[in-house]
Amino acid sequence: MTIQEKYGFKKLINARGPATILGAARVNPSIRADISDMLGESVEIRDLQRLASDAISRLTGAEAGCAVHCTSAGMAIAAAAALTGDDPSRIKALPDITWSRKKIIIQKGQVTGAGDCPVWQVIRMCGAEYIEIGEALDCASFHLRAALDDNVAAAFYIMEDTFAPNLLPLETFVEICHEKQVPVICDAAYLTDFQLLNRLGVDMAIYSGHKWLGGCTSGIIAGRRELIHACYLQEMGIGRPMKTGKEGIISVIAAIDQWLKRDSIAIRAAQAQVSTEIICEIDGLPGVSYRQMESAYSPSVRLCVEIDDQTAGTAAWEINDALAREEPVIMLDDYYVNQGRMIFDMAFLDPGDGTAIGRALRKCLTGRRRDESAGAHRPVPRPRQDILYDWFNDWMDRR
Ligand SMILES: *Cc1c(COP(=O)(O)O)cnc(C)c1O
């Protein structure tokens, strides 16, 4: 009996990658075994955290590291650590800040989601005075210099593909912040180069333990020793409701071990095979083009399938909706579906999943077509977060 049959939830083919709302990574058996053994033991958590710190240093090159519950928790905890340092009275005081160094700044063009919640929410929950600099599409060094007064406790930088084309490069951002001794906190949940941020002098970098590292729900803060020390101390304060347990900490350690000895060539070869399965089913269909894509935000083989909705008679977002109603459910990286692009990430697909996806695509693309000439109603796509809200909102009643 599968776990789906035992508990009655739907099987899911995950071509999106490690999305938190899809259960993030499919955790491999060796990490699962360590988590399982850990659950049967009692342990001093600070012992585990010290070992996690060593493992995080090996992964990132940073002086120290701390395991946290997830990336967004890590962002809040890193912000708190920058505000309080290791002063216990300050740690206990948050979110009330009675001292003057309480500003946290971010470029306006980087105000994305910390996952599905806005970045400003995880910053402001610590009580910080939150300040956006620059404009939606631009931020210049003069914006940053003007904002860096004596009351700035930290500056956030988000490592994500955004549409804003003219923001400060991380190198410049760090350099200017460091002229004023302001620490830089980096959200790097999806980043695959774990050494880059330490090399560039980022003071606290936050990674996901349950995305590319492939562990259970967890996060990592890597950075300067005294700041990381202050991060762990937040468990006596605002970090308490965001703490990670022994299972999360051992998962971070085990996942780092796995990552450092993975055979990426063999992994990519297996993924390329699954990608070929998709291509075999859709090659030559009218209105469909595809290309393999590389991204700094995924180590996987990713296939971008582009739909020209005039020729195909259906739009990418309509196909995306249909795939979500398949059994098993098929989920893809649908961030750009309203622009006609569907991205399939092979990280968590098994052999044969590509064929299932390809056939479902073919069914949508060869099924009933919209009759444009008859002036048929051409539906308009909905914003991503409206759909996401419905998805969350449905949870209790959906069968
Ligand atoms: C996924 C993600 C987060 C949130 O990660 P969680 O671990 O689910 O909290 C934050 N920032 C970015 C850029 C992400 O991709």
Side-chain angles (χ1 to χ4, degrees):
M1 187 191 262
T2 65
I3 191 157
Q4 286 87 351
E5 289 159 354
K6 183 174 177 190
Y7 291 105
F9 58 93
K10 286 176 290 187
K11 188 167 171 59
L12 177 86
I13 295 178
N14 177 9
R16 178 179 297 191
T20 304
I21 56 167
L22 302 183
R26 288 177 71 192
V27 182
N28 80 27
S30 128
I31 299 174
R32 278 173 3 222
D34 288 346
I35 293 171
S36 172
D37 288 348
M38 189 73 251
L39 286 171
E41 301 294 329
S42 293
V43 61
E44 282 189 280
I45 289 290
R46 60 180 190 160
D47 262 0
L48 278 187
Q49 282 284 18
R50 181 169 36 75
L51 294 170
S53 178
D54 294 343
I56 294 165
S57 292
R58 278 199 299 284
L59 176 72
T60 62
E63 286 173 8
C66 175
V68 290
H69 181 64
C70 60
T71 312
S72 47
M75 292 164 75
I77 290 167
L83 291 164
T84 66
D86 60 3
D87 178 338
S89 69
R90 290 188 169 188
I91 289 168
K92 296 283 184 187
L94 296 188
D96 291 332
I97 304 182
T98 51
W99 55 98
S100 54
R101 264 184 97 241
K102 59 187 261 188
K103 289 184 184 174
I104 294 189
I105 63 178
I106 186 169
Q107 297 177 90
K108 198 185 281 291
Q110 291 200 328
V111 185
T112 55
D116 297 319
C117 67
V119 163
W120 56 262
Q121 213 163 29
V122 296
I123 297 174
R124 285 184 60 192
M125 66 194 269
C126 304
E129 186 184 335
Y130 167 79
I131 300 196
E132 289 176 6
I133 61 170
E135 300 158 17
L137 304 180
D138 285 88
C139 187
S141 48
F142 62 78
H143 287 118
L144 179 56
R145 283 214 169 82
L148 287 171
D149 62 27
D150 291 341
N151 293 332
V152 176
F156 261 80
Y157 197 96
I158 311 294
M159 298 299 287
E160 206 173 2
D161 277 325
T162 66
F163 297 106
N166 288 305
L167 301 181
L168 287 163
L170 179 60
E171 291 87 334
T172 315
F173 193 83
V174 169
E175 192 187 313
I176 295 174
C177 288
H178 284 181
E179 285 167 8
K180 285 285 214 165
Q181 280 82 48
V182 169
V184 174
I185 301 172
C186 225
D187 168 11
Y190 254 103
L191 199 66
T192 58
D193 179 348
F194 292 98
Q195 300 260 335
L196 175 72
L197 300 184
N198 184 62
R199 252 193 337 265
L200 296 183
V202 166
D203 301 273
M204 285 186 275
I206 302 133
Y207 304 93
S208 174
H210 56 246
K211 288 183 174 171
W212 301 123
L213 281 178
C216 74
T217 304
S218 53
I220 286 172
I221 312 176
R224 263 170 42 211
R225 193 182 165 85
E226 77 276 11
L227 287 169
I228 297 302
H229 181 67
C231 286
Y232 182 51
L233 293 180
Q234 300 303 318
E235 291 212 4
M236 295 178 67
I238 211 160
R240 175 75 184 189
M242 298 178 255
K243 71 186 166 298
T244 181
K246 59 191 174 187
E247 64 281 11
I249 306 173
I250 203 73
S251 171
V252 162
I253 298 170
I256 289 173
D257 280 351
Q258 290 282 304
W259 178 267
L260 292 177
K261 60 179 198 228
R262 78 198 182 288
D263 180 350
S264 27
I265 292 168
I267 293 169
R268 283 186 70 90
Q271 293 180 357
Q273 195 62 40
V274 179
S275 178
T276 304
E277 291 176 6
I278 301 179
I279 292 170
C280 283
E281 298 292 331
I282 61 169
D283 189 40
L285 293 176
V288 179
S289 58
Y290 56 82
R291 65 192 153 90
Q292 213 96 255
M293 54 188 293
E294 296 295 329
S295 165
Y297 297 95
S298 169
S300 331
V301 173
R302 281 157 76 80
L303 184 70
C304 177
V305 177
E306 212 147 339
I307 307 293
D308 171 30
D309 81 309
Q310 295 293 329
T311 314
T314 183
W317 64 268
E318 293 175 292
I319 298 172
N320 182 48
D321 282 356
L323 296 185
R325 287 190 299 270
E326 284 288 321
E327 229 172 287
V329 173
I330 296 172
M331 293 283 182
L332 53 117
D333 182 345
D334 59 0
Y335 205 81
Y336 301 98
V337 284
N338 287 349
Q339 273 123 51
R341 269 176 288 156
M342 299 186 287
I343 299 164
F344 297 88
D345 191 300
M346 309 301 152
F348 301 119
L349 299 182
D350 291 327
D353 285 348
T355 303
I357 292 168
R359 289 196 176 140
L361 281 171
R362 166 180 281 278
K363 192 169 77 183
C364 296
L365 287 157
T366 54
R368 201 169 60 82
R369 300 161 67 85
R370 234 189 286 126
D371 185 357
E372 304 279 355
S373 57
H377 174 62
R378 187 172 172 203
V380 177
R382 299 174 69 212
R384 186 183 76 90
Q385 290 224 6
D386 281 338
I387 296 166
L388 190 63
Y389 173 73
D390 287 349
W391 190 94
F392 275 99
N393 194 36
D394 255 5
W395 75 281
M396 185 78 94
D397 302 321
R398 187 83 172 192
R399 283 280 176 266

